[in-house]
């Protein structure tokens, strides 16, 4: 879920000039303001960081490479119904189930290099379907987005979405069985935790003994109290926002609760921090904001974490919080994550983590790591000034590299930006690059093939090569990305270009690949099959190739200056170990580039100890062989290639062969 305006914001502890650890350097913008000597020193330190190597990744990978996370929108994945009626019911449009993830489906996911599967939308969120026969209250359409509901409006953290079960009475047992099937297929399981907000009608039917509901013990006579779970607009009642552009709940279909009213007195602050009793239609009005001990003026009502804890271990963080009094909401979420860890969940994706104080993350994540040191903790953070704070003080494993790397790649794909930005960003993030997860699609972003993004899945291929191979960070794929899904369906709440997260729908390109559960592409077009095969080859390199944990060196700015046919519409870099190198070159233009000479800097020629003559360089994507021509006395080295439109080469060089 993307950020919106909030009533108060989390302020970064660390400025660019006052880093918490010696390893932190100035950003690219700050580098530009340094003196030549300072700039050279800073660049050298950054370059040294980029040339670090790791023997093994801290989280599971299929081979000697790095983790690949496969994100699936759980209720859409296995749905074979192709009706796609706007605002269609579950019966009309169908819904996917936990049971759709059988061994065949999970094997298909493994073929994309995946070692983790993020089952999006599992915790029980507000839905319109009637489950009163199972003791579940009806949800009010006036405060539910779509007919199937937003997965980020959780109404019971100790239960799962009944839509996903073959037998809703056995929904939790069916999810537990899915965890076991995933593990049996060597896939670790991630689910969402949405700490910043919950559904307006939160009510847990399945909470453990001794656990109280959010808001159950709140003092509603005050706007704020440290141990209240919510904030209140004292003396005023909630009013449903006014719809825009003719919007009506459920598309105007009659419903016993669709009356433009929702009983909530006093009104609670809305999930994005809006304080009015009647939020805007653009606010997260289906949710209420959780209070973490942050006063309405933005000051903190808990003990602050000393800055030196950026250098301390999760064990030391846990010791810091032991015996300290913390806000009630902190304790509630600690109980929730431990409940799911006990069921076998291997990690969490945290929604809008930057809207929650970093001290809470120190408290929660150190508690998680005490139980499972290998837990995979991924956070949605969009403010680059907070990256290091949430990694080092908050003890996150990974953050989205959205605002800088993804956004720059998107501009390059659209012909609106230059490739130099990618080199600059990687340099600026050198100290944390392993922790910045890369992606080109997820449930929040436009599909690559949508007209508003790139207009074709093929335009995503050179970008995917760069995204998947440039760093030691995990790579994430979104289901349907590998077969060119374009998100063009009109399904109800929200606009096309993003596959719906609010309504019941089928996902056409994915359904063709799924082929009624065979997962063999039996109904896919030749183009979709070719795209899928390309993704399989690429992601297996990411997951299995040892250079993915090796060193990095950009070739881009060097070749812009020294190679005649190379431009800002190409991007190149190397990944290497002591024995093997990959030279990666991507062409973002829709024209073939001929007579392209990729030159290696003297620094690499010397480090690799290349001797005069020719070395073989085999393209791991297409199988073609090229030659590395090395000049006398290591004076030069270059590879002459041709790059088709929107294509890449991943050239493997055996460095031992030259010694």
């Amino acid at each position: 879920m993307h950020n919106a305006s909030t009533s108060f914001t989390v302020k970064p502890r660390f400025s660019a000039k006052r880093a918490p650890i010696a390893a932190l350097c100035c950003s690219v913008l700050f580098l530009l303001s340094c003196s030549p000597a300072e700039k050279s020193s800073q660049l050298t330190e950054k370059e040294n960081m980029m040339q670090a190597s790791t023997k093994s990744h801290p989280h599971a990978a299929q081979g000697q490479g790095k983790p690949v996370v496969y994100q699936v929108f759980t209720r859409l994945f296995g749905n074979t119904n192709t009706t796609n009626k706007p605002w269609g019911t579950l019966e009309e449009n169908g819904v996917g189930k936990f049971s759709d993830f059988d061994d065949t489906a999970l094997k298909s996911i493994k073929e994309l290099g995946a070692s983790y599967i993020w089952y999006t939308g599992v915790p029980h969120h507000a839905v319109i379907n009637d489950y009163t026969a199972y003791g579940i209250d009806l949800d009010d359409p006036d405060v539910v987005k779509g007919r199937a509901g937003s997965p980020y409006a959780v109404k019971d953290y100790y239960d799962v979405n009944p839509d996903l079960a073959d037998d809703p009475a056995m929904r939790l047992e069916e999810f537990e069985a899915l965890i076991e099937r995933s593990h049996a297929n060597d896939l670790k399981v991630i689910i969402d935790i949405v700490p910043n907000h919950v559904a307006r009608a939160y009510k847990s039917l399945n909470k453990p003994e001794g656990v109280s509901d959010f808001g159950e013990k709140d003092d509603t006579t005050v706007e704020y109290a440290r141990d209240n779970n919510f904030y209140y607009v004292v003396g005023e009642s909630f009013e449903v926002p006014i719809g825009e552009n003719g919007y009506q709940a459920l598309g105007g279909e009659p419903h016993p609760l669709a009356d433009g009213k929702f009983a909530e007195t006093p009104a609670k602050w809305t999930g994005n921090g809006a304080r009015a009793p009647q939020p805007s239609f653009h606010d997260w009005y289906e949710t209420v904001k959780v209070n973490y001990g942050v006063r309405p003026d933005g000051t903190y009502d808990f003990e602050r974490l000393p800055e030196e804890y950026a250098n301390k271990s999760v064990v030391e963080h846990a010791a810091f919080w032991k015996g300290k009094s913390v806000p009630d909401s902190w304790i509630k979420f600690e109980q929730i994550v431990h409940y799911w860890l006990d069921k076998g969940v291997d990690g969490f994706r945290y929604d809008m983590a930057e809207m929650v104080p970093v001290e809470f993350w120190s408290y929660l994540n150190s508690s998680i790591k005490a139980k499972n040191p290998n837990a995979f903790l991924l956070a949605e953070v969009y403010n680059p000034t907070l990256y290091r704070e949430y990694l080092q003080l908050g003890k996150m494993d990974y953050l989205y590299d959205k605002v800088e790397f993804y956004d720059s790649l998107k501009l390059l794909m659209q012909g609106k930006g230059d490739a130099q930005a990618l080199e600059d960003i990687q340099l600026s993030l050198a100290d944390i690059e392993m922790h910045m997860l890369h992606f080109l699609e997820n449930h929040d972003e436009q599909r690559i093939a949508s007209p508003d993004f790139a207009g074709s899945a093929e335009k995503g291929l050179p970008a995917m090569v760069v995204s998947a191979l440039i760093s030691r960070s995990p790579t994430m794929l979104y289901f349907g990305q590998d077969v060119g899904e374009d998100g063009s369906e009109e399904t109800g709440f929200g606009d096309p270009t993003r596959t719906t997260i609010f309504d019941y729908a089928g996902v056409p390109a994915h359904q063709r690949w799924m082929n009624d559960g065979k997962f063999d592409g039996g109904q896919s077009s030749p183009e979709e099959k070719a795209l899928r095969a390309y993704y399989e080859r690429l992601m297996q390199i990411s997951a299995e190739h040892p250079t993915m944990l090796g060193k990095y060196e950009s070739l881009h700015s060097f070749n812009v200056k020294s190679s005649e046919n190379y431009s800002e519409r190409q991007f190149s870099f190397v990944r290497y170990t002591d024995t093997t190198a990959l030279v990666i070159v991507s062409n973002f233009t829709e024209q073939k580039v001929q007579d392209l000479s990729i030159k290696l800097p003297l620094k690499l020629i010397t480090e690799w100890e290349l001797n005069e003559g020719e070395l073989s360089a085999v393209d791991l994507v297409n199988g073609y062989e090229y030659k590395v021509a090395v000049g006398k006395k290591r004076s030069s080295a270059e590879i002459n290639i041709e790059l088709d439109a929107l294509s890449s080469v991943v050239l493997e060089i055996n460095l031992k062969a030259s010694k």
Side-chain angles (χ1 to χ4, degrees), residues 334-470:
E334 183 184 26
Q335 292 167 334
I336 288 164
V337 295
H338 280 272
Y339 172 85
W340 291 110
L341 289 170
D342 289 341
K343 290 192 178 298
V345 167
D346 302 290
F348 304 103
R349 179 268 187 187
Y350 298 131
D351 183 78
M352 292 311 302
E354 68 190 80
M355 297 179 76
V356 177
V358 74
E359 277 82 2
F360 164 73
W361 294 117
S362 164
Y363 171 85
L364 185 74
N365 290 339
S366 62
S367 176
I368 289 171
K369 294 289 189 176
K371 176 169 282 189
N372 180 2
N374 298 315
F376 187 105
L377 305 178
L378 167 64
E380 185 183 27
V381 173
Y382 293 130
N383 183 349
T385 65
L386 295 176
Y387 287 169
R388 291 167 180 84
E389 183 172 335
Y390 276 68
L391 287 169
Q392 295 158 2
L393 281 177
K395 294 303 171 188
M396 299 295 183
D397 292 318
Y398 306 104
L399 309 178
Y400 280 19
D401 201 346
K402 193 272 180 199
V403 169
E404 296 183 318
F405 199 80
Y406 165 88
D407 283 351
S408 296
L409 260 179
K410 185 174 184 178
L411 291 173
L412 182 58
M413 294 161 71
Q414 294 173 327
K416 300 176 182 177
D418 291 339
Q420 183 61 43
L422 306 180
E423 180 180 285
D424 295 342
I425 290 164
Q426 281 304 104
L427 182 60
S428 73
L429 297 176
D431 55 313
I432 57 172
E433 57 85 26
M434 182 185 280
H435 305 282
M436 301 303 298
L437 175 134
H438 282 188
F439 62 88
L440 287 186
E441 287 188 359
N442 63 43
H443 67 282
D444 277 323
E445 306 300 340
Q446 295 170 323
R447 291 288 193 175
I448 296 167
S450 71
D452 290 352
F453 189 159
S456 77
E458 287 68 31
K459 286 188 178 180
L461 292 179
M464 197 65 220
V465 170
V466 174
S467 181
L469 304 184
I470 194 171

